[in-house]
């Protein structure tokens, strides 16, 4: 009997030992997080980005102009930003009150403005400007400008005539650009029956404001990059 009990006890211990040795842990399976590979832009995308970069306006200077009130009895100052527009190769500006409106000038127009302003300065310094009730303004000549009202519809694009001269307002003389009414090249697709003409505008400058604009006419595209490269060489 004792032998039988001993055999059962040995068998139970052997089974217990086997069960312990057979217990398995779950396999650990962890994936390493791999950062997504950077996708290089296609050549077409690269060309498009380069085109956008080259055509983006270059801000040259902050300045200001004067604008008439509704009755043209007084003026108020309007902040502006002067830009170089690579696509048109022109210098122009936008105003705070009409951010969507761009007025820009090609090389010939710039030369016309320079010549008229030089005459104005000479007459100003020599006290030769007319300031009488019957004669408070004068026109030196005319030129052209590029007029773009850059709204969502880009609905006004024109090249109006610009008269160059001066005008007195409350006994103070201002150099004056009178942008004449002009037919536009683009029609608003929402309102095709609208009169497709730009509005007449008068923009006034004191001597300092006009000189600031004219100083930017000497801008050379790429000059800012050249300056940065030269600065790097000296470091």
């Amino acid at each position: 009997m004792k032998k039988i009990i001993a055999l059962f006890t040995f068998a139970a211990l052997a089974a217990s030992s086997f069960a312990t040795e057979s217990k398995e842990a779950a396999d650990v399976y962890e994936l390493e997080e791999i950062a997504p590979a950077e996708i290089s832009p296609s050549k077409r995308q690269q060309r498009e980005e380069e085109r956008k970069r080259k055509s983006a306006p270059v801000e040259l200077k902050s300045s200001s102009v004067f604008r008439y009130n509704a009755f043209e009895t007084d003026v108020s100052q309007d902040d502006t930003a002067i830009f170089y527009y690579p696509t048109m190769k022109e210098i122009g500006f936008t105003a705070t009150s009409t951010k969507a409106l761009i007025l820009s000038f090609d090389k010939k127009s710039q030369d016309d403005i320079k010549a008229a302003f030089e005459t104005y300065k000479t007459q100003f310094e020599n006290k030769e400007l007319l300031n009488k009730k019957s004669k408070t303004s004068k026109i030196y000549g005319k030129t052209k400008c590029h007029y773009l009202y850059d709204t969502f519809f880009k609905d006004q694009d024109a090249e109006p005539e610009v008269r160059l001269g001066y005008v007195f307002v409350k006994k103070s003389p201002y150099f004056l650009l009178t942008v004449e009414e002009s037919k536009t090249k683009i029609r608003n697709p929402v309102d095709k029956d609208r009169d497709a003409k730009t509005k007449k505008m008068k923009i006034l400058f004191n001597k300092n404001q006009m000189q600031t604009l004219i100083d930017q006419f000497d801008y050379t595209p790429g000059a800012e990059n050249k300056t940065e490269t030269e600065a790097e060489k000296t470091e």
Side-chain angles (χ1 to χ4, degrees), residues 43 91-92 104 110 119 159 167 202 205 207 221 224 230:
K43 289 184 178 180
I91 300 290
S104 62
Q110 293 172 28
T119 301
E159 294 181 357
V167 65
K202 293 182 179 179
F205 302 77
K207 287 189 296 180
E224 68 280 2
E230 290 176 348

Side-chain angles (χ1 to χ4, degrees), residues 40-56:
S40 300
S42 66
K43 289 184 178 180
R44 182 177 180 180
Q45 289 174 320
Q46 290 176 343
R47 288 195 299 268
E48 181 62 18
E49 288 300 318
E50 182 66 9
R51 185 194 67 78
K52 288 180 180 179
R53 187 187 67 79
K54 289 183 177 180
S55 62

Side-chain angles (χ1 to χ4, degrees), residues 2-60:
K2 289 182 179 179
K3 289 183 178 180
I4 294 171
I5 293 172
L7 287 171
F8 274 115
T9 301
F10 176 79
L13 289 171
S16 175
S17 176
F18 179 78
T20 302
E21 292 174 0
S22 299
K23 189 175 181 179
E24 296 287 349
D27 290 324
V28 177
Y29 186 72
E30 294 181 357
L31 290 175
E32 291 185 13
E33 291 188 7
I34 302 175
E38 293 186 4
I39 301 174
S40 300
S42 66
K43 289 184 178 180
R44 182 177 180 180
Q45 289 174 320
Q46 290 176 343
R47 288 195 299 268
E48 181 62 18
E49 288 300 318
E50 182 66 9
R51 185 194 67 78
K52 288 180 180 179
R53 187 187 67 79
K54 289 183 177 180
S55 62
V58 179
E59 184 170 352
L60 304 179

Side-chain angles (χ1 to χ4, degrees), residues 129-137 168:
L129 300 179
L130 300 173
N131 185 17
K132 300 177 182 179
K133 288 185 178 180
S134 59
K135 192 67 176 178
T136 58
S137 63
F168 275 85

Side-chain angles (χ1 to χ4, degrees), residues 149-151 153-157 184 186-189 194:
Y149 198 72
D150 195 11
T151 62
F153 298 111
K154 297 183 182 295
D155 60 343
Q156 291 185 331
D157 185 358
T184 63
I186 301 173
R187 299 300 295 270
N188 188 326
R194 193 188 65 181

